[in-house]
Amino acid sequence: MSPLSNNSLFLSYGRNPLPDYHARGLNISLSTDDPLQFHFTKEPLVEEYSIAAPIWKLSATDLCELAKNSVHQSGFSVQVKHNWLGLDYMEEGVAGNDITRTNVPDIRVAYRYETLFDQLQIVFGSVLANRLSK
């Protein structure tokens, strides 16, 4: 999501779903959109983080989690991702978190993983129950 672009074009900061998505644990990241039009510095991505943090009261952990998500979502090579996220970055949950590289505490990663697992059990349990009842 690009808060600066969204705010300029169609969605005020107050109506932007980023903080809600993040609170729910969706895998989101910050990005730039048309830096020549919406940004005022030589570092448009840093500008996005600088705007998002105070507007949505994002903590340092929140910002690190968004950055970690960004690297995961990127098209960077496996070697680059190993450098930025650690050798086990593809492992699920805490096993894939190298806190010395991501600055995302294991407790946050564990919470996200456990919540996702619980939600998937609800969804797939419901689907399975519906199929069995037919």
Short mmCIF file of all heavy atoms in Angstrom, two decimals, residues 1 3 11-30 52 55-58 62 65-66 69 108 111-112 115 119:
data_model
loop_
_atom_site.label_atom_id
_atom_site.label_comp_id
_atom_site.label_asym_id
_atom_site.label_seq_id
_atom_site.Cartn_x
_atom_site.Cartn_y
_atom_site.Cartn_z
N MET A 1 0.84 -1.17 0.00
CA MET A 1 0.00 0.00 0.00
C MET A 1 0.89 1.24 0.00
O MET A 1 1.93 1.25 0.63
CB MET A 1 -0.90 0.01 1.23
CG MET A 1 -1.86 -1.14 1.29
SD MET A 1 -2.96 -0.94 2.70
CE MET A 1 -4.47 -1.41 1.92
N PRO A 3 0.39 4.86 1.19
CA PRO A 3 -0.48 5.84 1.86
C PRO A 3 -0.45 7.23 1.22
O PRO A 3 -1.50 7.87 1.09
CB PRO A 3 0.06 5.89 3.29
CG PRO A 3 0.81 4.63 3.47
CD PRO A 3 1.32 4.23 2.12
N LEU A 11 -8.28 8.16 -1.13
CA LEU A 11 -8.59 7.60 0.17
C LEU A 11 -7.82 8.33 1.26
O LEU A 11 -6.59 8.25 1.31
CB LEU A 11 -8.19 6.10 0.16
CG LEU A 11 -8.64 5.23 1.30
CD1 LEU A 11 -10.17 5.15 1.35
CD2 LEU A 11 -8.08 3.83 1.12
N SER A 12 -8.53 9.03 2.11
CA SER A 12 -7.86 9.78 3.18
C SER A 12 -7.17 8.82 4.13
O SER A 12 -7.52 7.64 4.23
CB SER A 12 -8.88 10.62 3.95
OG SER A 12 -9.74 9.79 4.70
N TYR A 13 -6.18 9.33 4.84
CA TYR A 13 -5.45 8.49 5.79
C TYR A 13 -6.40 7.82 6.78
O TYR A 13 -6.23 6.66 7.13
CB TYR A 13 -4.41 9.31 6.57
CG TYR A 13 -3.28 9.84 5.72
CD1 TYR A 13 -3.01 11.19 5.66
CD2 TYR A 13 -2.47 8.97 5.00
CE1 TYR A 13 -1.96 11.69 4.90
CE2 TYR A 13 -1.42 9.44 4.24
CZ TYR A 13 -1.18 10.81 4.19
OH TYR A 13 -0.14 11.27 3.43
N GLY A 14 -7.40 8.55 7.23
CA GLY A 14 -8.35 8.02 8.21
C GLY A 14 -9.19 6.87 7.69
O GLY A 14 -9.69 6.06 8.47
N ARG A 15 -9.36 6.80 6.37
CA ARG A 15 -10.18 5.73 5.79
C ARG A 15 -9.34 4.61 5.17
O ARG A 15 -9.88 3.62 4.69
CB ARG A 15 -11.10 6.31 4.72
CG ARG A 15 -12.15 7.25 5.32
CD ARG A 15 -13.17 7.75 4.32
NE ARG A 15 -13.82 6.62 3.67
CZ ARG A 15 -14.00 6.52 2.34
NH1 ARG A 15 -13.57 7.47 1.54
NH2 ARG A 15 -14.60 5.48 1.82
N ASN A 16 -8.03 4.76 5.22
CA ASN A 16 -7.15 3.75 4.64
C ASN A 16 -7.21 2.47 5.49
O ASN A 16 -7.10 2.53 6.71
CB ASN A 16 -5.72 4.28 4.60
CG ASN A 16 -4.81 3.43 3.76
OD1 ASN A 16 -4.65 2.25 4.02
ND2 ASN A 16 -4.19 4.05 2.77
N PRO A 17 -7.36 1.31 4.86
CA PRO A 17 -7.50 0.07 5.63
C PRO A 17 -6.18 -0.51 6.16
O PRO A 17 -6.21 -1.52 6.87
CB PRO A 17 -8.13 -0.90 4.61
CG PRO A 17 -7.63 -0.41 3.29
CD PRO A 17 -7.56 1.09 3.43
N LEU A 18 -5.05 0.10 5.86
CA LEU A 18 -3.77 -0.46 6.28
C LEU A 18 -3.71 -0.79 7.77
O LEU A 18 -3.34 -1.92 8.11
CB LEU A 18 -2.61 0.46 5.89
CG LEU A 18 -1.23 -0.12 6.19
CD1 LEU A 18 -0.26 0.19 5.07
CD2 LEU A 18 -0.68 0.36 7.51
N PRO A 19 -4.07 0.12 8.68
CA PRO A 19 -3.94 -0.26 10.10
C PRO A 19 -4.86 -1.42 10.49
O PRO A 19 -4.48 -2.25 11.31
CB PRO A 19 -4.29 1.02 10.86
CG PRO A 19 -4.96 1.91 9.88
CD PRO A 19 -4.51 1.50 8.51
N ASP A 20 -6.04 -1.49 9.90
CA ASP A 20 -6.95 -2.60 10.19
C ASP A 20 -6.40 -3.91 9.64
O ASP A 20 -6.45 -4.94 10.31
CB ASP A 20 -8.34 -2.33 9.60
CG ASP A 20 -9.05 -1.17 10.27
OD1 ASP A 20 -8.79 -0.92 11.47
OD2 ASP A 20 -9.85 -0.51 9.59
N TYR A 21 -5.90 -3.87 8.42
CA TYR A 21 -5.32 -5.08 7.82
C TYR A 21 -4.14 -5.57 8.65
O TYR A 21 -3.99 -6.76 8.90
CB TYR A 21 -4.86 -4.81 6.39
CG TYR A 21 -5.95 -4.61 5.37
CD1 TYR A 21 -5.64 -4.22 4.08
CD2 TYR A 21 -7.30 -4.78 5.68
CE1 TYR A 21 -6.62 -4.04 3.12
CE2 TYR A 21 -8.28 -4.60 4.73
CZ TYR A 21 -7.94 -4.22 3.45
OH TYR A 21 -8.91 -4.04 2.50
N HIS A 22 -3.30 -4.62 9.06
CA HIS A 22 -2.12 -4.99 9.85
C HIS A 22 -2.54 -5.58 11.20
O HIS A 22 -1.99 -6.60 11.63
CB HIS A 22 -1.22 -3.78 10.04
CG HIS A 22 0.01 -4.08 10.82
ND1 HIS A 22 1.02 -4.90 10.35
CD2 HIS A 22 0.40 -3.70 12.06
CE1 HIS A 22 1.97 -5.00 11.25
NE2 HIS A 22 1.62 -4.28 12.29
N ALA A 23 -3.51 -4.96 11.85
CA ALA A 23 -3.97 -5.46 13.15
C ALA A 23 -4.54 -6.87 13.03
O ALA A 23 -4.42 -7.67 13.96
CB ALA A 23 -5.01 -4.51 13.73
N ARG A 24 -5.14 -7.17 11.89
CA ARG A 24 -5.71 -8.50 11.67
C ARG A 24 -4.67 -9.52 11.23
O ARG A 24 -4.96 -10.70 11.08
CB ARG A 24 -6.81 -8.41 10.63
CG ARG A 24 -8.03 -7.69 11.14
CD ARG A 24 -9.16 -7.69 10.14
NE ARG A 24 -10.32 -7.04 10.71
CZ ARG A 24 -10.87 -5.94 10.23
NH1 ARG A 24 -10.38 -5.38 9.14
NH2 ARG A 24 -11.92 -5.40 10.82
N GLY A 25 -3.44 -9.07 10.98
CA GLY A 25 -2.37 -9.99 10.64
C GLY A 25 -2.22 -10.30 9.17
O GLY A 25 -1.53 -11.24 8.80
N LEU A 26 -2.86 -9.51 8.31
CA LEU A 26 -2.70 -9.74 6.88
C LEU A 26 -1.27 -9.42 6.46
O LEU A 26 -0.63 -8.54 7.03
CB LEU A 26 -3.69 -8.90 6.08
CG LEU A 26 -5.16 -9.20 6.32
CD1 LEU A 26 -6.03 -8.28 5.49
CD2 LEU A 26 -5.48 -10.65 5.99
N ASN A 27 -0.79 -10.10 5.48
CA ASN A 27 0.58 -9.91 5.00
C ASN A 27 0.59 -8.70 4.06
O ASN A 27 0.41 -8.83 2.86
CB ASN A 27 1.05 -11.17 4.26
CG ASN A 27 2.50 -11.10 3.89
OD1 ASN A 27 3.08 -10.03 3.75
ND2 ASN A 27 3.09 -12.25 3.70
N ILE A 28 0.80 -7.54 4.64
CA ILE A 28 0.81 -6.29 3.87
C ILE A 28 2.18 -5.63 3.97
O ILE A 28 2.96 -5.96 4.85
CB ILE A 28 -0.28 -5.31 4.36
CG1 ILE A 28 -0.07 -4.97 5.83
CG2 ILE A 28 -1.66 -5.87 4.11
CD1 ILE A 28 -0.90 -3.82 6.32
N SER A 29 2.42 -4.69 3.08
CA SER A 29 3.67 -3.94 3.11
C SER A 29 3.41 -2.53 2.60
O SER A 29 2.37 -2.26 1.99
CB SER A 29 4.73 -4.62 2.25
OG SER A 29 4.31 -4.69 0.91
N LEU A 30 4.35 -1.65 2.87
CA LEU A 30 4.29 -0.30 2.34
C LEU A 30 5.06 -0.25 1.03
O LEU A 30 6.05 -0.96 0.86
CB LEU A 30 4.90 0.70 3.33
CG LEU A 30 4.11 0.93 4.61
CD1 LEU A 30 4.92 1.82 5.56
CD2 LEU A 30 2.77 1.55 4.33
N ALA A 52 3.50 6.92 7.56
CA ALA A 52 2.63 5.88 8.13
C ALA A 52 2.81 5.74 9.65
O ALA A 52 1.81 5.56 10.37
CB ALA A 52 2.91 4.54 7.46
N ILE A 55 0.92 8.59 11.72
CA ILE A 55 -0.50 8.67 11.40
C ILE A 55 -1.27 7.50 12.02
O ILE A 55 -2.35 7.67 12.58
CB ILE A 55 -0.73 8.73 9.88
CG1 ILE A 55 -0.31 10.10 9.37
CG2 ILE A 55 -2.18 8.45 9.51
CD1 ILE A 55 -0.38 10.25 7.87
N TRP A 56 -0.71 6.32 11.89
CA TRP A 56 -1.40 5.12 12.39
C TRP A 56 -0.79 4.58 13.67
O TRP A 56 -1.09 3.46 14.09
CB TRP A 56 -1.43 4.05 11.30
CG TRP A 56 -2.26 4.50 10.13
CD1 TRP A 56 -3.51 5.04 10.17
CD2 TRP A 56 -1.90 4.46 8.76
NE1 TRP A 56 -3.95 5.34 8.91
CE2 TRP A 56 -2.97 4.99 8.02
CE3 TRP A 56 -0.77 4.03 8.09
CZ2 TRP A 56 -2.95 5.09 6.64
CZ3 TRP A 56 -0.75 4.13 6.71
CH2 TRP A 56 -1.84 4.66 6.01
N LYS A 57 0.09 5.37 14.29
CA LYS A 57 0.72 4.99 15.55
C LYS A 57 1.36 3.61 15.48
O LYS A 57 1.16 2.75 16.33
CB LYS A 57 -0.29 5.08 16.70
CG LYS A 57 -0.80 6.50 16.92
CD LYS A 57 -1.86 6.54 17.99
CE LYS A 57 -2.36 7.93 18.27
NZ LYS A 57 -2.77 8.73 17.18
N LEU A 58 2.13 3.39 14.42
CA LEU A 58 2.83 2.13 14.24
C LEU A 58 4.09 2.10 15.10
O LEU A 58 4.85 3.07 15.12
CB LEU A 58 3.20 1.93 12.77
CG LEU A 58 2.04 1.87 11.78
CD1 LEU A 58 2.55 1.83 10.35
CD2 LEU A 58 1.15 0.67 12.07
N ASP A 62 6.00 -2.91 14.50
CA ASP A 62 5.08 -2.88 13.35
C ASP A 62 5.83 -2.54 12.07
O ASP A 62 5.64 -3.19 11.04
CB ASP A 62 3.98 -1.84 13.56
CG ASP A 62 3.06 -2.14 14.72
OD1 ASP A 62 2.85 -3.33 15.03
OD2 ASP A 62 2.53 -1.17 15.31
N GLU A 65 7.95 -5.41 10.95
CA GLU A 65 7.12 -6.47 10.38
C GLU A 65 6.69 -6.12 8.96
O GLU A 65 6.71 -6.97 8.06
CB GLU A 65 5.89 -6.72 11.27
CG GLU A 65 5.05 -7.89 10.82
CD GLU A 65 3.88 -8.17 11.74
OE1 GLU A 65 3.49 -7.29 12.54
OE2 GLU A 65 3.34 -9.29 11.65
N LEU A 66 6.32 -4.87 8.72
CA LEU A 66 5.96 -4.43 7.37
C LEU A 66 7.15 -4.57 6.42
O LEU A 66 7.00 -5.01 5.27
CB LEU A 66 5.46 -2.98 7.39
CG LEU A 66 4.11 -2.75 8.07
CD1 LEU A 66 3.85 -1.26 8.22
CD2 LEU A 66 2.99 -3.42 7.31
N ASN A 69 7.69 -8.24 5.66
CA ASN A 69 6.69 -8.67 4.68
C ASN A 69 7.09 -8.22 3.27
O ASN A 69 6.93 -8.96 2.30
CB ASN A 69 5.32 -8.09 5.01
CG ASN A 69 4.70 -8.69 6.25
OD1 ASN A 69 5.15 -9.72 6.76
ND2 ASN A 69 3.68 -8.05 6.77
N ARG A 108 5.71 -11.92 18.42
CA ARG A 108 4.83 -11.38 17.37
C ARG A 108 4.66 -12.41 16.26
O ARG A 108 3.56 -12.63 15.78
CB ARG A 108 5.41 -10.08 16.83
CG ARG A 108 4.77 -9.51 15.55
CD ARG A 108 3.37 -8.92 15.76
NE ARG A 108 3.36 -7.75 16.59
CZ ARG A 108 3.42 -6.49 16.16
NH1 ARG A 108 3.49 -6.22 14.87
NH2 ARG A 108 3.39 -5.50 17.01
N TYR A 111 2.44 -15.23 17.48
CA TYR A 111 1.04 -14.80 17.52
C TYR A 111 0.43 -14.81 16.12
O TYR A 111 -0.67 -15.32 15.91
CB TYR A 111 0.93 -13.41 18.15
CG TYR A 111 -0.46 -12.84 18.04
CD1 TYR A 111 -1.48 -13.30 18.87
CD2 TYR A 111 -0.75 -11.86 17.09
CE1 TYR A 111 -2.76 -12.78 18.75
CE2 TYR A 111 -2.03 -11.35 16.97
CZ TYR A 111 -3.03 -11.81 17.81
OH TYR A 111 -4.29 -11.32 17.69
N ARG A 112 1.13 -14.25 15.16
CA ARG A 112 0.62 -14.21 13.77
C ARG A 112 0.40 -15.63 13.24
O ARG A 112 -0.62 -15.92 12.62
CB ARG A 112 1.58 -13.46 12.85
CG ARG A 112 1.77 -12.00 13.18
CD ARG A 112 0.57 -11.19 12.83
NE ARG A 112 0.91 -9.77 12.79
CZ ARG A 112 0.07 -8.81 13.10
NH1 ARG A 112 -1.17 -9.10 13.43
NH2 ARG A 112 0.45 -7.56 13.04
N THR A 115 -2.53 -17.43 15.11
CA THR A 115 -3.81 -16.85 14.70
C THR A 115 -4.20 -17.33 13.32
O THR A 115 -5.35 -17.72 13.08
CB THR A 115 -3.74 -15.31 14.74
OG1 THR A 115 -3.39 -14.90 16.07
CG2 THR A 115 -5.06 -14.69 14.35
N GLN A 119 -7.47 -19.63 12.37
CA GLN A 119 -8.45 -19.18 11.37
C GLN A 119 -8.60 -20.19 10.23
O GLN A 119 -9.70 -20.45 9.77
CB GLN A 119 -8.06 -17.81 10.83
CG GLN A 119 -8.20 -16.72 11.86
CD GLN A 119 -7.61 -15.39 11.42
OE1 GLN A 119 -6.91 -15.31 10.42
NE2 GLN A 119 -7.90 -14.35 12.17
#
